[in-house]
Amino acid sequence: MNAHISDFLERVRPFLVAANEVDVLREIGSSVEDRAAGMAGGMTEENLQAAVGAMGDPRDVAAAWSTARPAVAANYRKIHWLLAGLLYAVTVGMAVISAITGGATFVGPFVYIPSLTPLTLLCYLPFAFVFDYGLASLLIQVNERLGTRVGVEWVRHIAHRDPRRGRPTLGRVIGELVGVAGTVALYLLARFGIPHVVSLPGPMQLMKIPFFIPFAVCELALVTAEFTVTFVHYARDWPAFAIIKPLAGMVALLIAATIVRTSAQSGLADLILRGVLVVTVLIKTWDLVQGVATAFFAWNAAPRM
Amino acid sequence: MNEVDNAEKEMNRGFLQLVVLLLLEKAMYGYMIVRVLEEQGLTVDENTLYPLLRRLEEKGALSSRWDATEAKARKYYEVTDQGRVLRGSLLEIWVKQGKTIQTLRQEVRS
């Protein structure tokens, strides 16, 4: 086969997806030769070059000749983002729990991270989303191969349908602020032991629990992030806040849990505090799952006729 | 590409399938089909025709074989019995569509 044609086929093949690639390439090569032979002067170098040029961009040729179905069909593109978002909510939730329990991070995309530091966290969050996006693609592909269609009805049940849960009221913003103030007080109590300073009597042994300060810091990070987003949401309505608020809370919690990581304690009180924080994370994970679903249906609502 | 060209391309998709099934009663290779259709006044893009031939072959409407008896190897396509059945159905649709257009044109004239 002529060098011009071989070179062209080499540029086509990386973009070609067909059951019998070699056969397809042979046929493309053969059609180029036929085209050149049909030109005045027959199969000269110039005519072969012109025939190759007339085929167009190798990527377009490969797209036209590809017979296999793409990994994710065009009509699944939005569903792809939705699934990736739902998986991401679970991934971040698992990472926070892992950081809180003082154990290693045993979540995707990394099989095992002995210690999640603030630096690895910076890489982890976007990388985890890329991983979940790929996982969503795989799930859709497997589902399609099994002959079933990916539906959204099950996600519709998760989403908030209550319109009152949209833009926050001023009361809700104030409520969030009160939450921050309360948590600041809790932190101060934990950090400086104010009752001891003012010589309050009573069983104020809470400060002696090693996990109390990390607990207060994590809670403070969570409520501060949620208050900030609620405040911005109050100023501007946008469906994405349904995702941003729980995600910001989760990320703040993950950062705090990573920074103030303490080794696992065996004390009952310590265990209870960790348990409370883990339950909080589970609730926030569910909030994030709901947020993804709610924003998805808000963005894909039927147009007003 | 203007609107008429776009519409022609879309209309040709189904039409070309029918034309190919009619033409390939006799075995032909891709470029030969292009030339024959050009002689009939129908210009076909090779990147449209060849993938169509392969799709029809996958569906079982065409069969193919490589012939290397000449200086260069060529893939010849030929209509199968399944292809003839498909061709009959497509012709029925085409005739029905033609009648609809005819009726509508008459209504427009009157």
Side-chain angles (χ1 to χ4, degrees), chain B residues 51-102:
Chain B
L52 170 70
L53 293 173
R54 299 190 83 89
R55 274 202 302 278
L56 287 172
E57 189 188 0
E58 272 181 21
K59 286 180 190 168
L62 296 180
S63 63
S64 72
R65 63 182 162 82
W66 279 96
D67 186 350
T69 49
E70 291 177 46
K72 54 180 186 282
R74 281 177 174 135
K75 195 175 186 181
Y76 281 80
Y77 291 92
E78 201 169 0
V79 73
T80 61
D81 287 341
Q82 207 176 319
R84 289 188 187 94
V85 173
L86 177 65
R87 183 174 67 192
S89 306
L90 292 179
L91 272 170
E92 272 177 33
I93 294 168
W94 189 67
V95 169
K96 213 162 125 184
Q97 284 177 340
K99 277 182 187 166
T100 309
I101 294 288
Q102 202 70 20

Side-chain angles (χ1 to χ4, degrees), chain B residues 17-30 32-33 49 52-53 56 61-63 75-80 84 87:
Chain B
Q17 195 166 317
L18 180 56
V19 166
V20 162
L21 289 170
L22 283 167
L23 201 62
L24 289 179
E25 203 51 63
K26 181 187 155 198
M28 287 185 185
Y29 57 90
M32 191 193 263
I33 301 171
L49 176 73
L52 170 70
L53 293 173
L56 287 172
L62 296 180
S63 63
K75 195 175 186 181
Y76 281 80
Y77 291 92
E78 201 169 0
V79 73
T80 61
R84 289 188 187 94
R87 183 174 67 192

Side-chain angles (χ1 to χ4, degrees), chain A residues 127-204:
Chain A
F127 192 77
F129 187 78
V130 173
F131 172 83
D132 289 325
Y133 192 78
L135 187 58
S137 156
L138 203 64
L139 287 173
I140 293 172
Q141 174 77 342
V142 168
N143 223 41
E144 282 284 293
R145 291 277 170 200
L146 292 174
T148 50
R149 310 293 306 276
V150 180
V152 290
E153 287 315 305
W154 64 279
V155 187
R156 201 181 291 279
H157 296 302
I158 298 171
H160 284 304
R161 304 295 291 171
D162 184 358
R164 285 173 300 173
R165 291 189 69 97
R167 197 174 185 166
T169 58
L170 184 60
R172 208 152 111 201
V173 177
I174 292 169
E176 297 269 1
L177 189 59
V178 170
V180 175
T183 319
V184 168
L186 183 74
Y187 173 74
L188 291 174
L189 183 81
R191 184 72 183 84
F192 301 108
I194 291 167
H196 282 296
V197 174
V198 293
S199 302
L200 282 177
M204 300 303 297

Side-chain angles (χ1 to χ4, degrees), chain A residues 23 27 31 34-35 64-65, chain B residues 46 54 66 74-75 77:
Chain A
D23 193 66
E27 196 170 7
S31 75
D34 281 331
R35 186 194 277 257
W65 287 69
Chain B
E46 284 165 61
R54 299 190 83 89
W66 279 96
R74 281 177 174 135
K75 195 175 186 181
Y77 291 92

